[in-house]
Amino acid sequence: QVQLVESGGGLVQAGDSLRLSCAASGRTFGYYVMGWFRQAPGKEREFVADISQSGITTYYADSVKGRFTISRDNSKNTVYLEMNSLKPEDTAVYYCAAKRLNKYDYWGQGTQVTVSS
């Protein structure tokens, strides 16, 4: 069982930056691929980025590539999402999730990011 708690969301202006954190419980954090997803009002949840267990391999949605950076610190059981050059269309609830095999098994409660124009 893994519990995930996101933090770092807030209200910012377009062009600003934010760093989201996701702290995981348990001793097996390093076994999981970690991902960030987001859901805007009236829209389906969408993939943002993920990172391999070692942190070497990352993958991004086209909409955030070059602006967002995912990283992890396995010694702190934490995954991060550095978000730069934020746009109003980045406004959403952001969720972190943990994947052991083929699907994301554990999800956090989400943190709101609002970008004003």
Side-chain angles (χ1 to χ4, degrees):
Q1 187 78 10
V2 176
Q3 293 185 330
L4 304 172
V5 179
E6 301 97 335
S7 61
L11 172 63
V12 297
Q13 293 186 335
D16 285 351
S17 298
L18 272 178
R19 188 175 82 155
L20 305 183
S21 300
C22 173
S25 65
R27 302 179 180 178
T28 59
F29 178 73
Y31 293 173
Y32 293 88
V33 170
M34 297 300 298
W36 285 98
F37 293 77
R38 67 187 182 185
Q39 187 167 19
K43 294 187 177 181
E44 293 187 354
R45 185 170 58 196
E46 64 174 358
F47 170 82
V48 174
D50 70 14
I51 186 166
S52 62
Q53 293 90 330
S54 66
I56 292 175
T57 303
T58 58
Y59 187 71
Y60 297 92
D62 288 343
S63 58
V64 307
K65 202 173 294 183
R67 299 188 297 122
F68 290 11
T69 302
I70 188 171
S71 61
R72 67 190 296 164
D73 185 338
N74 287 348
S75 69
K76 296 182 179 179
N77 281 13
T78 302
V79 61
Y80 305 97
L81 186 68
E82 183 75 34
M83 306 186 294
N84 298 316
S85 301
L86 282 162
K87 305 175 181 180
E89 50 264 45
D90 294 318
T91 295
V93 177
Y94 283 72
Y95 300 90
C96 71
K99 177 171 70 174
R100 182 71 185 268
L101 295 174
N102 297 321
K103 67 180 180 70
Y104 284 92
D105 301 294
Y106 304 103
W107 294 82
Q109 84 290 348
T111 186
Q112 177 70 47
V113 172
T114 303
V115 184
S116 64
S117 57

